[in-house]
Amino acid sequence: MIIGGDKKPVVKNIEQAAKEQRFNDKVEVNDPTLTLEAERKLIADFLEQRNYLFYRLKNLLSRACINLLTKILMFHTRVVGSKQISGIKSGAIVTSNHFNPLENMAVRIAVQKAQHKRLAFVSQPTNLKMPGILGFLVSFGDVVPLSASMHYMNRDFPRLLEEHIKKGHNVLIYPEQEMWFNYKKPRPVKRGPYYYAARMNVPVISCFVEIRDLGVPDNDQFNKVRYTIHILAPIYPDPNLTVTQNSMWMMKRDYEQKKAAYEKAYGKKLSYDFELGDIVGWRE
């Protein structure tokens, strides 16, 4: 499913960023922005509403809708490696490559198939402002918003993560940070997800999503695609290492696993030399 309008400038931005090795930069255009003051108010309202019964009721409704949509939209999605994580009883940090607004549903269906657990997800605060049904699902569907506020990130953000982890939920954090539309290669990862996994002493559920062009037009610019979710070996903190050491080791290990999964899935060595085939389904 293609969300958004003309992707030509997005593809050009991806090509330029890849050539300059800026793999975690924003490439989308016309994304909404918030002033710091507006963001602080949005986050404050989000934290406040969590204290009331109506939030819990909307959360139940949102999760039910998300699970239903996931089953419908990801009906043809393949899952490989479910047994890798079936024995994990605690909550965990989930990582995956980030290339579509809806690919978190593919990760959701893969992890739930193996564990039957709730999946929370970390998201940009601007997504709390989205209108309509999509905005409702994001705002009330176990989201943990990011923020530019250091006070929030140092206190409230880890508290929200720990709240989910202690309940045995999984939390999806994209280590590539920004979304690159239909970009099939795993990009270098940032340390944040692994720091929180090490700090909370929980495993990282490492995933890689393979994308295949079905050769059937979806719109004027893209063909339809199909996903295969590869659940890789879980990565556990080493009790003999510090939080910082663990986060660095887990980060390195996760990237290596995603790189190996890419090379096995596509039968070629990972190279960041840009090719139009890197954007799966692109017809132009």
Side-chain angles (χ1 to χ4, degrees):
M1 179 181 294
I2 307 300
I3 295 179
D6 182 18
K7 295 298 182 184
K8 283 184 181 178
V10 175
V11 173
K12 287 182 179 179
N13 288 343
I14 291 174
E15 180 178 5
Q16 189 63 33
K19 287 179 178 178
E20 298 175 4
Q21 299 189 350
R22 296 181 285 106
F23 294 108
N24 309 109
D25 279 16
K26 179 183 287 294
V27 296
E28 290 292 318
V29 296
N30 301 320
D31 271 1
T33 59
L34 291 170
T35 65
L36 183 56
E37 181 180 349
E39 181 184 294
R40 284 174 175 165
K41 184 179 186 309
L42 187 66
I43 295 292
D45 291 343
F46 170 80
L47 294 174
E48 175 67 19
Q49 71 182 357
R50 287 170 52 85
N51 298 318
Y52 298 105
L53 176 61
F54 83 91
Y55 175 85
R56 291 190 286 273
L57 294 174
K58 289 183 176 181
N59 175 254
L60 287 172
L61 177 59
S62 177
R63 286 191 288 114
C65 291
I66 289 173
N67 288 334
L68 178 60
L69 283 172
T70 297
K71 291 179 180 179
I72 295 172
L73 296 176
M74 299 297 150
F75 179 77
H76 295 291
T77 298
R78 293 179 61 237
V79 179
V80 178
S82 295
K83 292 182 179 179
Q84 297 264 32
I85 61 171
S86 59
I88 297 176
K89 304 303 181 185
S90 69
I93 300 297
V94 182
T95 66
S96 183
N97 45 324
H98 190 22
F99 57 85
N100 190 285
L102 299 180
E103 111 271 318
N104 66 85
M105 289 187 173
V107 176
R108 179 182 301 272
I109 203 168
V111 174
Q112 287 182 340
K113 180 178 180 180
Q115 296 186 322
H116 306 288
K117 291 183 179 182
R118 280 169 63 173
L119 179 70
F121 58 100
V122 171
S123 178
Q124 294 293 335
T126 50
N127 290 332
L128 297 174
K129 294 283 288 182
M130 287 192 298
I133 182 64
L134 193 56
F136 174 83
L137 296 180
V138 170
S139 297
F140 296 98
D142 286 343
V143 65
V144 180
L146 292 166
S147 175
S149 166
M150 293 304 297
H151 176 75
Y152 168 82
M153 293 302 296
N154 288 333
R155 189 187 71 170
D156 295 304
F157 181 78
R159 176 177 60 82
L160 293 174
L161 290 183
E162 289 174 1
E163 180 181 306
H164 283 289
I165 293 295
K166 286 179 179 178
K167 291 178 179 178
H169 306 165
N170 296 321
V171 182
L172 172 61
I173 307 179
Y174 288 113
E176 296 175 345
Q177 293 187 331
E178 297 293 342
M179 181 188 76
W180 283 22
F181 195 83
N182 276 23
Y183 186 76
K184 69 181 183 182
K185 294 177 178 178
R187 290 177 276 142
V189 297
K190 294 293 189 177
R191 191 167 69 99
Y194 315 99
Y195 165 76
Y196 290 110
R199 172 173 165 172
M200 294 183 287
N201 194 33
V202 296
V204 168
I205 294 177
S206 175
C207 300
F208 174 72
V209 186
E210 174 188 350
I211 327 167
R212 292 291 181 180
D213 187 338
L214 295 180
V216 178
D218 195 348
N219 66 8
D220 290 340
Q221 294 183 330
F222 279 88
N223 287 335
K224 294 180 182 295
V225 300
R226 178 175 293 173
Y227 303 150
T228 297
I229 316 302
H230 300 270
I231 301 180
L232 312 174
I235 305 168
Y236 293 87
D238 185 334
N240 298 313
L241 299 179
T242 66
V243 168
T244 298
Q245 290 170 333
N246 260 317
S247 65
M248 298 298 292
W249 174 79
M250 296 170 87
M251 176 179 69
K252 182 175 182 292
R253 178 62 179 159
D254 192 28
Y255 176 72
E256 289 173 347
Q257 290 193 166
K258 288 174 168 53
K259 177 176 179 289
Y262 166 87
E263 293 177 346
K264 183 178 180 180
Y266 296 105
K268 60 189 297 186
K269 290 290 185 181
L270 176 62
S271 166
Y272 288 117
D273 294 336
F274 183 81
E275 302 172 346
L276 285 179
D278 293 343
I279 313 299
V280 181
W282 180 241
R283 298 170 59 202
E284 298 195 15

